[in-house]
């Protein structure tokens, strides 16, 4: 708990005249002047006015960061209302007495217990992490071995496969396919010329020449049409 109940909670429960209480306030209080000033009771103007001011102080404290809520403030006031004037003065002037009362509050005990539980859990987690450190180091070494051996071999294989993929993509690109088709046309053209030369040199007769030549020229013109069509659509 990082909040402290100010002197206004203590002074607001005293039912003595303002002049007497003003003289009884210790001059050497460990509270800041602003807290001491706010702890002075208001001038006699009716119990309803004093109660209204106490409610306003409580609402103001509960709205600020780290201050008790109205329910917590009511619980503190209920603990203070049965104390004598001397006991209340001691709480204002004696820091040790104040701390003893402060740490006896249920809200403070709850927060202290929560803090202690969190500390124990944190220490337990730290011990478990330290116990796992050898296993973590072993796994880290295994990862290093994998990274320097198996991973390196896999990376090399991947690089080789990527090169093969690039070569295949280049070989089946539109321009490469057109070039292959053009080469096939040239090959058929050469075969046709060879067949024609054989006929002229009487190495083959006309009956053999005609079907072969017709087949070669058909293949040539089919490939030529495909080549022309492909170039037109590119």
């Amino acid at each position: 708990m990082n909040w402290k109940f100010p002197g206004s909670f203590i002074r607001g429960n005293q039912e003595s005249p303002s002049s007497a209480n003003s003289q009884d306030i210790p001059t050497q209080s460990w509270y800041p002047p602003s807290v001491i000033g706010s702890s002075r009771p208001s001038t006699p103007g009716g119990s309803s006015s004093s109660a209204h001011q106490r409610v306003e102080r409580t609402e103001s404290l509960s709205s600020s960061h780290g201050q008790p809520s109205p329910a917590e403030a009511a619980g503190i006031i209920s603990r203070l209302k049965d104390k004598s004037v001397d006991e209340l003065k001691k709480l204002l002037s004696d820091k040790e007495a104040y701390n003893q009362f402060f740490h006896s509050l249920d809200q403070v005990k709850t927060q202290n217990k929560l803090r202690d539980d969190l500390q124990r859990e944190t220490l337990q987690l730290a011990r478990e992490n330290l116990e796992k450190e050898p296993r973590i180091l072993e796994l880290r070494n295994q990862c290093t071995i994998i990274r320097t051996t198996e991973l390196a071999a896999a990376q090399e294989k991947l690089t080789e496969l990527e090169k093969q993929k690039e070569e295949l993509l280049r070989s089946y690109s539109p321009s490469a396919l057109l070039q292959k088709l053009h080469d096939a046309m040239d090959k058929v053209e050469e075969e046709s010329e060879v067949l024609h030369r054989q006929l002229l040199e009487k190495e083959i007769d006309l009956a053999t020449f005609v079907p072969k030549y017709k087949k070669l020229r058909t293949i040539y013109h089919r490939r030529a049409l495909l080549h022309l069509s492909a170039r037109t659509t590119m």
Side-chain angles (χ1 to χ4, degrees):
M1 298 286 285
N2 60 353
W3 50 265
K4 299 192 299 183
F5 58 91
S8 58
F9 288 145
I10 300 175
R11 291 297 179 181
N13 287 276
Q14 299 182 26
E15 298 297 337
S16 57
S18 60
S19 59
N21 287 341
S22 299
Q23 294 174 358
D24 291 338
I25 294 176
T27 58
Q28 298 297 327
S29 173
W30 62 276
Y31 282 90
S34 59
V35 175
I36 294 298
S38 63
S39 66
R40 297 178 183 274
S42 59
T43 56
S47 59
S48 61
S49 175
S50 177
H52 180 69
Q53 291 179 359
R54 286 198 297 271
V55 171
E56 287 181 347
R57 291 194 194 102
T58 302
E59 292 176 352
S60 175
L61 289 169
S62 63
S63 63
S64 60
H65 178 69
Q67 296 299 324
S69 65
E72 293 171 335
I76 297 171
I77 293 174
S78 66
R79 292 280 304 275
L80 294 172
K81 67 181 181 180
D82 295 330
K83 292 186 177 296
S84 65
V85 175
D86 292 337
E87 289 175 331
L88 295 176
K89 290 178 182 179
K90 186 176 182 180
L91 288 178
L92 286 174
S93 59
D94 189 340
K95 188 173 182 178
E96 183 178 353
Y98 171 86
N99 287 332
Q100 184 178 0
F101 175 78
F102 178 76
H103 289 287
S104 69
L105 297 174
D106 292 338
Q107 297 91 337
V108 178
K109 290 180 179 178
T110 300
Q111 292 297 322
N112 288 340
K113 183 179 183 303
L114 178 61
R115 179 200 61 198
D116 294 339
D117 291 342
L118 289 175
Q119 287 179 346
R120 283 193 298 270
E121 293 176 3
T122 303
L123 289 175
Q124 181 63 27
L125 289 175
R127 294 190 186 98
E128 292 176 359
N129 290 336
L130 290 175
E131 292 174 356
K132 295 176 181 177
E133 187 174 2
R135 178 59 177 167
I136 294 174
L137 292 176
E138 180 183 354
L139 293 175
R140 186 175 297 169
N141 292 333
Q142 292 179 3
C143 291
T144 302
I145 295 173
I146 293 173
R147 184 168 57 251
T148 55
T149 56
E150 298 179 11
L151 181 61
Q155 186 68 38
E156 183 179 356
K157 182 64 175 178
L158 177 61
T159 303
E160 181 182 353
L161 291 175
E162 288 179 346
K163 290 181 179 179
Q164 294 178 4
K165 182 191 72 173
E166 293 296 330
E167 293 176 358
L168 287 174
L169 290 176
R170 284 195 299 269
S171 63
Y172 287 99
S173 64
S175 59
L177 292 175
L178 278 177
Q179 185 61 42
K180 289 180 180 180
L181 186 58
H182 189 272
D183 294 341
M185 290 169 54
D186 292 342
K187 182 179 180 180
V188 174
E189 183 69 18
E190 291 177 0
E191 292 177 358
S192 299
E193 291 179 357
V194 170
L195 187 63
H196 185 259
R197 187 165 53 253
Q198 289 176 347
L199 176 65
L200 294 178
E201 295 176 357
K202 300 186 181 300
E203 295 179 1
I204 59 175
D205 56 16
L206 186 60
T208 304
F209 170 78
V210 171
K212 290 185 177 181
Y213 189 79
K214 180 179 180 182
K215 181 179 180 181
L216 289 174
R217 299 316 296 172
T218 301
I219 294 174
Y220 175 83
H221 288 295
R222 184 182 295 116
R223 291 176 179 176
L225 289 174
L226 287 173
H227 188 272
L228 179 63
S229 176
R231 289 186 59 184
T232 303
T233 56
M234 287 182 62

